[in-house]
Amino acid sequence: MASVTKTLERYQRCCYTPQENSSERETQSWYQEATKLKAKYESLQRTQRHLLGEDLGPLNVKELQNLEKQLEGALALARQRKQQVLTEQMEDLRKKERHLGDLNRHLKLKLEAEGQNLQAIQDYWNSGAADGSSNFHLHHSQSSQMDCDPGPVLQIGYHQYFPAEGSSVSASKSMPGETNFFQGWVL
């Protein structure tokens, strides 16, 4: 039985004493860690103030030279990054310029093709107007179908035709240049 008691005593010493010591050691470790972090935080704050040009009085010449080197290095990195960003923006703008130039050329070709179609229509109208067989009515201010008055003209409603006195033209007949589709309506 004595050996059992000795075994239990050893067991209790091993099991209970180290736990108390380990919790004390853990608490001590956390306290030391907090102290180190607090010192690091204060050091970083001091360094930040120095980099901002504040609280430079206690610094000696060597520390000021180190600070100057740090600032020059940071400035060089900032300039390098700025140059990189500007170069990337220029490349993007050049790509956009090329794309817009291509789009402009495409639209110009399309406009020229449509312009040729428009010219063919104008020639057709002019040839019909010259021989008097045109069905297109010209406004009195226009000399040709495509010669439009630059000012705004709006005529809405029924255009009633009254032949001049002594004229033998009846109102039911079409006027020259007027279509038979909607007689009397100004389009």
Side-chain angles (χ1 to χ4, degrees):
M1 189 76 154
S3 70
V4 174
T5 309
K6 287 183 183 182
T7 306
L8 286 174
E9 287 176 9
R10 278 188 288 160
Y11 176 75
Q12 287 177 353
R13 273 184 283 169
C14 290
C15 291
Y16 295 113
T17 308
Q19 286 179 353
E20 292 172 5
N21 287 342
S22 72
S23 65
E24 287 178 19
R25 278 186 260 156
E26 189 175 336
T27 304
Q28 185 66 25
S29 172
W30 282 113
Y31 180 75
Q32 290 173 353
E33 184 71 22
T35 306
K36 288 178 186 178
L37 288 175
K38 185 177 179 183
K40 181 74 170 171
Y41 174 73
E42 290 172 357
S43 173
L44 288 172
Q45 279 188 324
R46 190 171 39 258
T47 302
Q48 181 183 13
R49 283 193 307 271
H50 293 164
L51 290 172
L52 293 174
E54 300 171 359
D55 197 25
L56 298 176
L59 297 179
N60 62 32
V61 175
K62 186 174 182 177
E63 290 171 330
L64 288 171
Q65 287 174 340
N66 287 336
L67 179 62
E68 185 178 17
K69 286 179 185 177
Q70 286 178 336
L71 290 172
E72 286 174 353
L75 182 60
L77 290 174
R79 286 180 177 160
Q80 181 182 10
R81 176 65 183 141
K82 182 181 99 175
Q83 186 64 37
Q84 180 184 3
V85 168
L86 289 175
T87 302
E88 290 171 359
Q89 287 177 349
M90 289 290 289
E91 289 174 10
D92 288 343
L93 290 174
R94 284 186 182 122
K95 286 178 185 177
K96 287 179 184 178
E97 179 185 25
R98 284 191 296 272
H99 173 70
L100 290 174
D102 292 342
L103 183 62
N104 190 23
R105 281 188 290 281
H106 173 73
L107 291 175
K108 187 176 180 181
L109 292 173
K110 187 175 179 180
L111 184 62
E112 287 174 355
E114 289 179 9
Q116 290 174 354
N117 291 341
L118 182 62
Q119 185 62 42
I121 292 170
Q122 283 179 326
D123 293 344
Y124 173 74
W125 284 352
N126 289 335
S127 68
D131 63 11
S133 66
S134 174
N135 289 331
F136 299 107
H137 176 67
L138 292 179
H139 192 272
H140 61 83
S141 67
Q142 293 176 314
S143 60
S144 71
Q145 283 88 350
M146 295 309 292
D147 183 26
C148 297
D149 183 40
V153 175
L154 177 64
Q155 183 175 356
I156 300 176
Y158 186 77
H159 178 71
Q160 191 171 7
Y161 173 71
F162 295 106
E165 288 187 28
S167 172
S168 64
V169 178
S170 70
S172 64
K173 280 189 156 185
S174 296
M175 297 185 319
E178 188 177 285
T179 65
N180 288 330
F181 189 70
F182 288 109
Q183 276 190 346
W185 281 93
V186 178
L187 300 176

